[in-house]
Amino acid sequence: MKALSVLLVLLIGSSLIAQKTPDTSPNAAEIAKMAARFAPTEIKVDISKLSAGDRKALSKLVEAARVIDDIFLTQFWAGNHDVYQKLQADQTPLGRARLHYFWINKGPWSEIDGYKAFLPDVPPTKLPGANFYPADMTKAEFEAWVKTLPAEQQRQVTGFFTVVQREPATKKLTLIPYSEAYAPDLDRAGGLLREAAGLTDNASLNRFLTTRAAAFESNDYYESDVAWMELDSPIDLTLGPYETYNDELFGYKAAFEAYVTLRDEAETAKVQSFAARMQDVENNLPIEKKYKNPKLGATAPIRVVNEVFASGDGNHGVQTAAYNLPNDEKITTERGTKRVMLKNVQQAKFDKILLPIARRLLTPAAQKEVEFETFFTHILAHEMTHGIGPHQIKIGERATSPRQELKELYSAIEEAKADVTGLYMLQHLLDRERNGKSAAGAPASAEQKRLYTTYLASAFRSLRFGTQDAHAKGMAVQFNYISDKGGFVARPDGRYEVDFRHIQAAVRELNHDLLTLEATGDYAGAKKLLDDLGTIRPGTRQSLDRLQDLPTDIEPVFVTADQMSAPPPGAPGAAAPQAQSKARRKRPQR
Ligand code: ZN
């Protein structure tokens, strides 16, 4: 008994000590090292070709997008604004480092470290329901509550644009529309959108801005989503509640984000010229004729833009390089979706990540062939070729689709297919330029050298993400298949290059195999391919290990936007926080 009480005393004592454990969160140097994985990169756009009205509108839109940061901070975590204000008041080197990394993550958790907290006195990781639901609500409580609601409220509570809170008095769950939950911020943002609408001379932009500002008040986004699909303007804007990834409880709730961008006219023309040639590419795919589609339908529109500013859910952790919206099924069934590609963000990632990878892993001669224009054209080709190849298939008499048949394997197979079909397409267009004369056996042209070598370098970039990601798994299949066929070669010094005697045939054969797996809905065959080749082999692993100190992603420094309005504390390019900044940045009504 006595021994037991001694033990109890010891246990209690040790738990007291545990409570007093000094702060183990990372110090200033450690946080700086974490932040250094994001290479600061200037994001600039030439706005000189905009009309005078559009230039003024753009400045208002950047301001509106800065309000979106405020809304997203609220949505991400209930404690975010308090922590952010405290960090602004902390002038120590540790405080500065924390503020900077907080702004990269838009919260106290390091996203690329599995949302591990880097600040003391905060939850150890991101809350699964973010701030869309009460922190103490369980899934079971929510589901039981939903069953008690009338049908229309059930629709809203599982919809995009409401939050669930507890009534202060009764602690019962209650439903709040975004228009109420974020009213002061939405008023500010909506006012700025209306000001911009009054300044632009583009009718479709005016319509999107006015309908979106109205949606902030009515909480009905349908009309403004339609206006977004029809937006045809030098200023391209995405601003509102969209993606649901932050709601890890249910995936219902949309986070606010903004991308203020300018349309890239040259690339938009390139997309159109590709679109006109897709039937010819389909007709020449390396599969049996019976699997080809003699009449392709309309393809989903692709917009190429350059980013002036991104905020909220569109600017935390790893930067968005392309997005597909909207998510609302009513719109997507009626009108499909629009894919927006952020060209200058892709260029920034290319410069800061892909080129350093190439310098380390390619032979000196191969390094010279790695080029951004080719990289970006291949990304475009990848997107376009998602639209060709087998989509409606028949197994016996049963009409089905590759997605239904390949199930959880489909993403990796389809991503690999788009990569190699994109390569195949660009090779086909090069051959067409030579008037159909086959170049087999001829020495590689300058374009071919750039195409296949840039593809090799980008393979390493994808493989770095690990094969749990569908793109990376699909890339492992490609890398191993092409290496086995002699298309990629590792030199004795561990550097890689393309063997142009074998690369075209390897790509063609792999393309044939992938397209045939889809055309026949061959689950077993897809599984075998992924099991055999969808892995990172020891030699490749060694090469990837040599990339560990290279940045993971970029940290955008919005030079053009920051000239229009000053960035907030913690953002790169912002002035060091001053003592009065706390008062200056005080948020309305919170
Ligand atoms: Zn894809």
Side-chain angles (χ1 to χ4, degrees):
M1 193 65 196
K2 198 170 180 185
L4 187 63
S5 47
V6 169
L7 188 65
L8 273 174
V9 168
L10 279 175
L11 281 173
I12 293 164
S14 66
S15 78
L16 282 177
I17 291 165
Q19 276 173 18
K20 277 193 193 161
T21 323
D23 172 11
T24 55
S25 62
N27 64 30
E30 286 161 344
I31 294 182
K33 210 176 155 197
M34 293 165 92
R37 292 174 296 176
F38 297 87
T41 309
E42 294 195 341
I43 300 290
K44 283 188 219 170
V45 182
D46 175 12
I47 60 167
S48 64
K49 292 195 181 70
L50 288 180
S51 69
D54 268 356
R55 229 173 295 165
K56 286 184 204 149
L58 186 67
S59 163
K60 295 290 174 192
L61 295 177
V62 169
E63 267 188 76
R66 293 197 193 280
V67 179
I68 298 300
D69 272 329
D70 283 342
I71 303 179
F72 180 72
L73 287 180
T74 305
Q75 290 188 303
F76 199 54
W77 179 45
N80 245 354
H81 280 288
D82 285 347
V83 166
Y84 184 40
Q85 289 213 339
K86 267 188 211 131
L87 292 178
Q88 288 172 49
D90 185 345
Q91 312 278 317
T92 65
L94 176 60
R96 298 278 172 85
R98 283 172 168 174
L99 178 64
H100 177 211
Y101 201 48
F102 177 94
W103 192 253
I104 288 179
N105 287 284
K106 300 293 184 291
W109 307 289
S110 178
E111 190 172 314
I112 59 170
D113 301 304
Y115 286 113
K116 194 170 180 291
F118 60 89
L119 294 180
D121 309 320
V122 301
T125 187
K126 173 188 168 285
L127 308 183
N131 193 23
F132 299 117
Y133 310 91
D136 62 353
M137 187 199 78
T138 62
K139 270 183 116 155
E141 183 189 8
F142 177 83
E143 278 157 0
W145 173 60
V146 171
K147 282 186 197 137
T148 67
L149 298 173
E152 171 54 24
Q153 278 194 35
Q154 285 195 12
R155 199 182 59 76
Q156 285 188 26
V157 82
T158 57
F160 290 118
F161 312 124
T162 55
V163 288
V164 177
Q165 294 180 353
R166 287 196 190 281
E167 278 179 39
T170 62
K171 302 290 173 208
K172 279 188 187 160
L173 295 179
T174 179
L175 179 67
I176 317 262
Y178 281 4
S179 52
E180 247 175 71
Y182 313 124
D185 285 336
L186 288 175
D187 278 354
R188 280 197 292 151
L192 289 160
L193 295 190
R194 289 193 174 105
E195 280 186 63
L199 293 164
T200 181
D201 34 37
N202 182 284
S204 72
L205 179 61
N206 177 297
R207 194 168 142 243
F208 173 58
L209 296 174
T210 47
T211 54
R212 182 58 33 124
F216 287 166
E217 289 162 9
S218 68
N219 217 45
D220 179 354
Y221 285 83
Y222 177 79
E223 200 189 340
S224 57
D225 274 342
V226 172
W228 184 80
M229 285 300 289
E230 291 172 353
L231 184 59
D232 180 13
S233 154
I235 298 178
D236 203 273
L237 176 73
T238 301
L239 187 149
Y242 286 104
E243 306 283 11
T244 59
Y245 301 110
N246 294 291
D247 174 2
E248 294 171 283
L249 267 190
F250 296 105
Y252 293 149
K253 304 303 172 196
F256 276 83
E257 65 182 2
Y259 299 95
V260 182
T261 68
L262 300 193
R263 186 166 62 192
D264 188 309
E265 306 293 349
E267 294 295 335
T268 302
K270 196 196 279 171
V271 168
Q272 279 161 2
S273 92
F274 281 167
R277 292 144 101 176
M278 294 316 283
Q279 185 69 58
D280 178 48
V281 177
E282 170 84 22
N283 296 345
N284 286 281
L285 287 178
I287 40 167
E288 282 184 59
K289 191 157 182 278
K290 63 179 174 186
Y291 297 137
K292 291 179 191 176
N293 183 350
K295 200 166 188 320
L296 290 175
T299 49
I302 294 180
R303 295 284 158 85
V304 182
V305 301
N306 289 299
E307 184 172 290
V308 176
F309 187 64
S311 63
D313 195 28
N315 180 13
H316 59 100
V318 171
Q319 292 295 305
T320 308
Y323 53 92
N324 225 348
L325 287 174
N327 292 319
D328 193 332
E329 274 181 21
K330 187 164 181 231
I331 302 280
T332 57
T333 30
E334 284 173 14
R335 308 200 168 234
T337 61
K338 188 164 89 180
R339 183 148 186 91
V340 181
M341 308 189 57
L342 301 160
K343 189 184 179 193
N344 60 343
V345 176
Q346 305 262 21
Q347 167 111 48
K349 290 180 188 241
F350 176 91
D351 292 344
K352 293 296 170 83
I353 297 145
L354 194 67
L355 279 184
I357 289 174
R359 275 184 215 117
R360 220 167 268 188
L361 293 187
L362 300 195
T363 62
Q367 288 171 34
K368 295 197 189 83
E369 308 295 342
V370 179
E371 184 213 47
F372 175 69
E373 283 305 321
T374 304
F375 173 73
F376 190 73
T377 304
H378 181 238
I379 295 176
L380 280 184
H382 169 113
E383 296 303 336
M384 313 272 316
T385 53
H386 271 310
I388 65 170
H391 281 97
Q392 272 98 43
I393 62 172
K394 271 200 163 163
I395 295 180
E397 283 309 298
R398 185 167 56 92
T400 178
S401 69
R403 183 190 292 278
Q404 277 176 308
E405 298 304 314
L406 302 183
K407 303 185 186 78
E408 80 284 0
L409 311 177
Y410 176 71
S411 298
I413 296 289
E414 173 62 19
E415 289 309 329
K417 166 225 144 175
D419 276 343
V420 288
T421 312
L423 273 180
Y424 185 80
M425 161 182 157
L426 295 175
Q427 178 64 56
H428 176 72
L429 298 180
L430 285 176
D431 291 347
R432 277 275 186 263
E433 276 173 32
R434 291 199 211 93
N435 298 320
K437 272 181 230 143
S438 170
S445 68
E447 290 100 331
Q448 286 173 318
K449 282 184 180 169
R450 286 199 294 268
L451 177 61
Y452 294 108
T453 310
T454 303
Y455 166 67
L456 168 61
S458 76
F460 287 109
R461 176 177 164 269
S462 304
L463 291 175
R464 267 182 107 193
F465 296 125
T467 50
Q468 64 278 20
D469 172 84
H471 282 88
K473 199 169 184 72
M475 186 50 91
V477 168
Q478 298 167 62
F479 185 82
N480 292 327
Y481 189 107
I482 293 172
S483 297
D484 290 348
K485 299 261 176 187
F488 294 150
V489 188
R491 294 290 162 211
D493 66 352
R495 289 178 182 269
Y496 293 77
E497 64 189 2
V498 174
D499 187 334
F500 292 96
R501 294 169 305 170
H502 301 299
I503 186 79
Q504 278 196 57
V507 167
R508 187 188 173 87
E509 284 160 34
L510 176 56
N511 202 8
H512 166 270
D513 292 0
L514 292 166
L515 290 167
T516 306
L517 287 174
E518 290 196 342
T520 55
D522 181 0
Y523 182 89
K527 181 142 179 26
K528 183 166 175 7
L529 184 75
L530 292 170
D531 286 349
D532 289 351
L533 296 178
T535 57
I536 293 177
R537 293 172 177 169
T540 317
R541 169 58 53 209
Q542 277 182 5
S543 304
L544 294 176
D545 286 347
R546 291 169 55 202
L547 306 176
Q548 269 169 6
D549 60 312
L550 295 183
T552 305
D553 199 49
I554 57 157
E555 176 189 20
V557 184
F558 296 113
V559 178
T560 307
D562 292 350
Q563 283 163 357
M564 297 175 189
S565 59
Q578 302 295 312
Q580 73 268 24
S581 67
K582 196 174 167 183
R584 182 163 51 85
R585 289 285 305 169
K586 197 157 169 60
R587 290 160 45 74
Q589 305 187 14
R590 276 214 178 81

